[in-house]
Amino acid sequence: MIRFPKSLSERTVNWRLARLFSSVVVVASASSLLPLTVHAQMAVPQPAAAPADDKDAPVNVSAEQMTGRPDRQVNLDRDVEIIKGGTTIKADKAEYRIIQDEVEATGHVWMKRFQDQYTGDHAEMNMGSGAGYVTQPTYLIGKNGGRGKAERIDFLSDDQAQVQQGTYSTCEATDPDWYLRANTLDLDSGRDVGTMHGGLLYFKDVPILGSPWMTFPLSGERKSGVLPPTFGATSTGGAELAVPYYFNLAPNYDLTLVPKYIARRGLQLGAETRYLGDTYSGITNVEGIQDRVTGTGRYSLSSIHNQTLAPGLTLAWNLNKASDNDYPSDFSHSITGSTQRLLIRDVSLTYSSTYWSLYGHVSKYQLLQDVDSPIAKPYDRVPQIIFSGARYDVGGFDISTVADFTRFSSGDLVGGDRAYMTQSVSYPIVRPGYFITPKMSVDATRYTLNNVSVGQPTNFSRTVPTVSLDSGMVFERESTLLGRSMTQTLEPRLFYVRTPYRDQSQFPNFDSGLADFNFAQIFSENRFVGHDRISDANQLTAAVTSRLIEENGLERLRMAVGQRYYFADPKVVLDGTTSTTLGSKSDLLLSLGGQISKEFSTDNTVQYSETLRQMVRSTFGVRWQPAPKRVLNLQYRLDRTYVNPSTGLLDPLKQVDVSGQWPISQRWYAVGRINYSIPDKTVAEGLAGMEYKADCWVFRIVAQRIPTSSTKASTGFFFQLELTGFSKIGNNPLEAIKSSVPGYQNVNLPDSTPNSNF
């Protein structure tokens, strides 16, 4: 029962209707200053909802008891609720001043401003401007779940609030594991920025980071400010500490400055800028140091850019430079990478049309030489221009043309110009269950050389025709795999190639090498890569493939066997000799792989020599992933054709690679990898680490061994504390973990079921 004083003024509205209900709704418009109109809550429809940011939206008021002057002030008591636009206030008692459009609430105050929520003892709020305050509050930021408590919060507008003597955390617990305590916290939801003045970051009630001023995002948006410090250690430089500063210069470009102190070497300064536009994008990194160990200035630079100049016309560059050969080994976490020995400098321009494209570029290399295993520097291409054109199904024929002009340069070595054109015509016959593709191509090449010895020819040319016939069939039958219905295929394939011999023993070798022997290469016309050698051929490749395919088209298992048969020994070789002996047939290739079950997958390839009666090369790999964040990988690799770069001699390679991610308790996860060389009995590469996943933070500690040359290695240590929704403190090891552990899943992300399509 609602009771109101009987001695109201003559302006008092008749309250009798309201007594029929346990609550009322008062609708007032502050702009019109009309007298209050009282409606029974369940008898009269609610007014239409106004936009959340509408300053002139009506004020909806409800309470168990109301007193006051309807055109000036209303006193509300018990179960008070006041709503205007995106703001809602609930309290035990409240006073609403209509002319000022102000609310003063006391007792169990609960307030919602758009996505954010507040509680407190006492609050005042201007419902039009959003200005006001609340005492002894707690708060919750809707965008990222940030929360805390304070002595007082002042609302400067709908978007801005200032927290006095408050805390901030994204932990949901009443007693959070980590929190930020500050004299003042400025929360600007409009700019998505929080600013701390005179604060400390506590972890497990222990202060770990302090600053007189700090900014942080209220969601995942980018913002300028000091980034959390990163720290770690390497065996080459000792302890490292970096304090980056991020400049959010515009929505489409930014800049990060990274001063890093390396204990043994001194202060390194680095910068990274990123930019992105409608027609262009790129990233540039630069870093430098006055090295105390070498006593010299050292630096590295990397720049990648892509841009569309006009429809079909693109410009790109990839530029890299280092001050000296040892830069990547001494600074293994730098932009050049720990094992990168060739730094490319390439600028290209490409035009593409419907049926043809023109590509031109200039490429040079900086070779970071390793004295223990020196390598030859590739030829610079200054320039290379490539024309490619193709038309398909022209009266049933496929026609393609490739023309290439390249100028090769490499100091005092033999260099020169190479121009070639390759024209090919094929007639694919594709029918249900089989295909036959006859093809003919002609290659014409011409060389003009410089830096040759006196009396040596400077001009060479060749014209080489090639004919081939590719054919195959596909048979299908119903089958099963682990009780699941499958379609099994049987796909025999024959590929014949005939290329006449051309003497190329006097030709230069700018870019050719022997192609890797695998299932892709045995179905190609040329057994060399590059264009300085075209192999003569009179050979037939035979292969059979069988697949198990589900009804949805997913391939669960693939088995293949293939071999090449030579009707004549190829005579063209790389080293200038005129003959070679391959025998009547090649090594046997076998392959078995696929996602056999939801938890188990495998990938195995074998190159078997029937002459030697042994495996020449092989890779055996299995992966077991029974659940999210649980994966074990095992791989064995054998290569009897491996040439040691230090000695230039055959040095059989036998390696076992084991990696995985596995929970060892409810919150602890282990990650690791070992690449073990069996002949040397050494660990070539390794990674070991632990991750602890709490409700609102993750701690990672990782050690990684990285080879920096044929005889040297660097060991790096990563320490990272990730405060969910706030920041990451320490060096980020996630890229190292992901590259070392196939199938790794971030413990701080929701579970994703692997191989869910099975």
Side-chain angles (χ1 to χ4, degrees), residues 436-468:
I436 301 174
T437 305
K439 179 181 177 182
M440 180 177 182
S441 62
V442 178
D443 179 274
T445 307
R446 181 174 180 83
Y447 292 88
T448 302
L449 305 182
N450 54 40
N451 290 338
V452 298
S453 301
V454 177
Q456 295 295 319
T458 59
N459 295 292
F460 298 91
S461 63
R462 72 174 178 228
T463 301
V464 184
T466 297
V467 294
S468 65

Side-chain angles (χ1 to χ4, degrees), residues 112-146:
K112 182 176 181 181
R113 285 163 41 99
F114 303 98
Q115 300 180 51
D116 306 333
Q117 298 179 21
Y118 305 86
T119 67
D121 296 336
H122 181 84
E124 289 193 17
M125 175 66 63
N126 186 294
M127 303 298 285
S129 66
Y133 69 88
V134 59
T135 60
Q136 301 300 316
T138 65
Y139 65 93
L140 171 64
I141 299 175
K143 279 188 176 181
N144 68 339

Side-chain angles (χ1 to χ4, degrees), residues 271-292:
E272 176 186 88
T273 181
R274 304 179 300 175
Y275 51 91
L276 175 66
D278 294 335
T279 60
Y280 61 89
S281 64
I283 180 171
T284 297
N285 290 272
V286 62
E287 61 188 32
I289 186 174
Q290 185 66 32
D291 194 345
R292 290 201 299 250

Side-chain angles (χ1 to χ4, degrees), residues 174-440:
T174 305
D175 185 16
D177 288 343
W178 70 266
Y179 57 92
L180 193 66
R181 180 179 292 278
N183 293 332
T184 60
L185 281 172
D186 296 328
L187 306 178
D188 190 334
S189 59
R191 296 191 303 122
D192 196 38
V193 175
T195 304
M196 177 198 72
H197 298 274
L200 284 172
L201 178 62
Y202 287 81
F203 180 72
K204 293 293 185 179
D205 293 325
V206 176
I208 60 173
L209 184 65
S211 175
W213 177 81
M214 179 189 298
T215 62
F216 55 92
L218 298 181
S219 67
E221 300 297 327
R222 300 181 295 121
K223 59 167 297 295
S224 298
V226 178
L227 300 180
T230 64
F231 50 86
T234 65
S235 57
T236 57
E240 299 179 354
L241 175 65
V243 184
Y245 190 92
Y246 177 77
F247 294 91
N248 184 24
L249 302 176
N252 63 328
Y253 59 93
D254 56 22
L255 171 68
T256 304
L257 300 180
V258 187
K260 177 191 293 185
Y261 180 75
I262 305 175
R264 297 177 188 169
R265 299 186 178 274
L267 180 64
Q268 182 187 67
L269 299 178
E272 176 186 88
T273 181
R274 304 179 300 175
Y275 51 91
L276 175 66
D278 294 335
T279 60
Y280 61 89
S281 64
I283 180 171
T284 297
N285 290 272
V286 62
E287 61 188 32
I289 186 174
Q290 185 66 32
D291 194 345
R292 290 201 299 250
V293 175
T294 63
T296 59
R298 309 176 69 183
Y299 63 90
S300 65
L301 169 69
S302 173
S303 178
I304 298 175
H305 177 85
N306 293 278
Q307 184 170 359
T308 301
L309 302 177
L313 183 63
T314 59
L315 169 69
W317 69 66
N318 184 3
L319 307 176
N320 300 273
K321 183 175 176 57
S323 58
D324 56 83
N325 293 334
D326 296 327
Y327 195 92
S329 59
D330 291 342
F331 304 95
S332 57
H333 298 299
S334 67
I335 59 175
T336 57
S338 60
T339 58
Q340 191 172 350
R341 305 266 302 276
L342 280 174
L343 304 184
I344 189 172
R345 302 165 191 171
D346 182 272
V347 179
S348 65
L349 191 65
T350 305
Y351 181 78
S352 298
S353 186
T354 304
Y355 301 113
W356 61 274
S357 65
L358 187 64
Y359 171 74
H361 74 128
V362 174
S363 292
K364 293 188 174 184
Y365 297 90
Q366 179 185 4
L367 175 61
L368 305 182
Q369 197 63 268
D370 179 6
V371 295
D372 297 318
S373 58
I375 60 176
K377 180 184 176 182
Y379 279 88
D380 296 332
R381 300 168 188 252
V382 286
Q384 182 178 32
I385 301 172
I386 303 174
F387 170 86
S388 299
R391 290 293 302 270
Y392 298 100
D393 196 17
V394 181
F397 289 91
D398 292 345
I399 305 171
S400 67
T401 302
V402 177
D404 180 300
F405 171 82
T406 307
R407 173 163 292 172
F408 295 95
S409 175
S410 185
D412 296 331
L413 299 178
V414 174
D417 300 339
R418 182 188 71 189
Y420 73 83
M421 175 180 288
T422 301
Q423 180 71 55
S424 65
V425 179
S426 63
Y427 189 83
I429 303 172
V430 182
R431 300 291 185 269
Y434 73 93
F435 70 91
I436 301 174
T437 305
K439 179 181 177 182
M440 180 177 182

Side-chain angles (χ1 to χ4, degrees), residues 69-114:
R69 300 183 61 181
D71 59 345
R72 293 181 178 271
Q73 176 179 313
V74 178
N75 299 315
L76 310 169
D77 195 8
R78 296 194 300 274
D79 292 333
V80 176
E81 183 177 68
I82 304 171
I83 302 174
K84 180 177 182 179
T87 301
T88 300
I89 300 176
K90 297 181 180 181
D92 294 339
K93 295 183 179 182
E95 180 181 294
Y96 177 47
R97 295 183 281 272
I98 298 173
I99 296 177
Q100 295 83 2
D101 197 16
E102 292 178 349
V103 173
E104 181 177 355
T106 58
H108 300 95
V109 177
W110 182 91
M111 185 186 329
K112 182 176 181 181
R113 285 163 41 99
F114 303 98

